[in-house]
Amino acid sequence: MALAALLTGTAATAAESAATKPRTALGVAVVALKSPYAGYRTDTLAAPIGSWEGKSFYFRGGTLGYRLFDNQHTEVSVMVSPYMMRFKHNDSDDMRLRQLSNRNFSAMAGVAVRHNAAWGLLQANVQSEVSGHGGGLAADAKYAYPLPVGRLTLVPGVGVSYASSSLNDYYFGVSAAEAARSGLARYRAGSGVAPYFDVSAVLPLGPRWTAAASLRRTLLSDAVDDSPMTDGNHMDSAALSLSYGF
């Protein structure tokens, strides 16, 4: 869901595949998310993005991390990042969902691992919600393989994400009070696993400028799919970015 971070990570993946250190970069991204919420308009967000690789600290997209271990192939770090899901009741055309409370972005903190080899990139993280939205855990594991095509680098990937019941319930649960005023059934969401696949493209536009694009489809977990707040069984997202490295 954090497509701006995905784009920045994709650019770093392309640089790693070329055996070069990722540069510090600043830019802008436009992210479009086709939300699973019923009657919900496509959520479009334009935001600045950046990446910075220090000796111990790094900043990639929206993720700030501190390396505990780092060698040529493997990195282990502690990190904080946003959980880029939100619900704004006024953005839904469904009058029942308009009676529900808003759900905001969450802050997460945890541990991340990245392993880069000739056969591709493995990355995984486990995080806990720390912004007071009911707590809960999220985890993600992904495999990606950069494919150079002339000046363009394509990065297909496949992964799976996990959200605990507390996290899912904050975003997709319907409380007794909300059910009474909306007419929706009361619902308490459980934990769930959601597989996804994506493809990104990274194109250098000279020695300092880089353009990137990304598409992702996520198959909703049963806990999310069964919620009266949702419609459909998948979620699509896309992003475009332009960045300047120095």
Side-chain angles (χ1 to χ4, degrees):
M1 302 196 219
L3 266 293
L6 175 63
L7 281 170
T8 304
T10 299
T13 300
E16 287 168 354
S17 69
T20 61
K21 184 178 180 179
R23 298 179 299 193
T24 300
L26 295 173
V28 63
V30 178
V31 181
L33 173 66
K34 183 62 179 72
S35 174
Y37 293 119
Y40 211 76
R41 307 164 196 153
T42 298
D43 196 359
T44 303
L45 177 67
I49 58 170
S51 63
W52 169 71
E53 300 290 332
K55 183 176 180 180
S56 297
F57 286 95
Y58 64 81
F59 182 77
R60 299 168 186 156
T63 299
L64 176 65
Y66 178 82
R67 299 181 186 88
L68 301 174
F69 173 82
D70 187 20
N71 63 18
Q72 185 177 359
H73 298 291
T74 303
E75 174 189 277
V76 180
S77 60
V78 291
M79 40 88 84
V80 293
S81 67
Y83 192 80
M84 298 291 284
M85 172 63 72
R86 66 178 177 179
F87 169 74
K88 298 167 65 179
H89 59 253
N90 286 336
D91 284 350
S92 176
D93 293 329
D94 189 312
M95 295 306 298
R96 297 171 302 171
L97 267 66
R98 282 179 171 262
Q99 310 306 311
L100 304 183
S101 301
N102 289 334
R103 324 292 165 91
N104 298 315
F105 296 132
S106 295
M108 312 293 291
V111 179
V113 178
R114 288 163 57 95
H115 181 75
N116 186 39
W119 41 262
L121 174 69
L122 280 175
Q123 50 190 7
N125 63 72
V126 178
Q127 300 182 84
S128 177
E129 191 273 318
V130 294
S131 49
H133 294 161
L137 296 173
D140 187 274
K142 179 182 177 181
Y143 169 76
Y145 188 82
L147 297 169
V149 183
R151 295 176 56 228
L152 184 73
T153 300
L154 295 176
V155 191
V158 60
V160 62
S161 61
Y162 165 83
S164 70
S165 58
S166 297
L167 199 60
N168 274 340
D169 195 56
Y170 174 74
Y171 288 104
F172 301 103
V174 179
S175 69
E178 289 177 319
R181 67 175 182 259
S182 68
L184 292 171
R186 183 179 180 181
Y187 183 72
R188 180 165 181 80
S191 62
V193 174
Y196 63 85
F197 55 91
D198 57 40
V199 60
S200 300
V202 181
L203 178 65
L205 301 176
R208 295 191 178 274
W209 289 97
T210 301
S214 181
L215 297 171
R216 173 178 289 190
R217 169 159 288 190
T218 302
L219 304 180
L220 302 180
S221 67
D222 289 342
V224 174
D225 189 22
D226 291 343
S227 169
M229 295 179 64
T230 63
D231 182 22
N233 61 3
H234 66 273
M235 177 172 58
D236 293 324
S237 50
L240 294 171
S241 75
L242 181 65
S243 59
Y244 180 83
F246 54 92

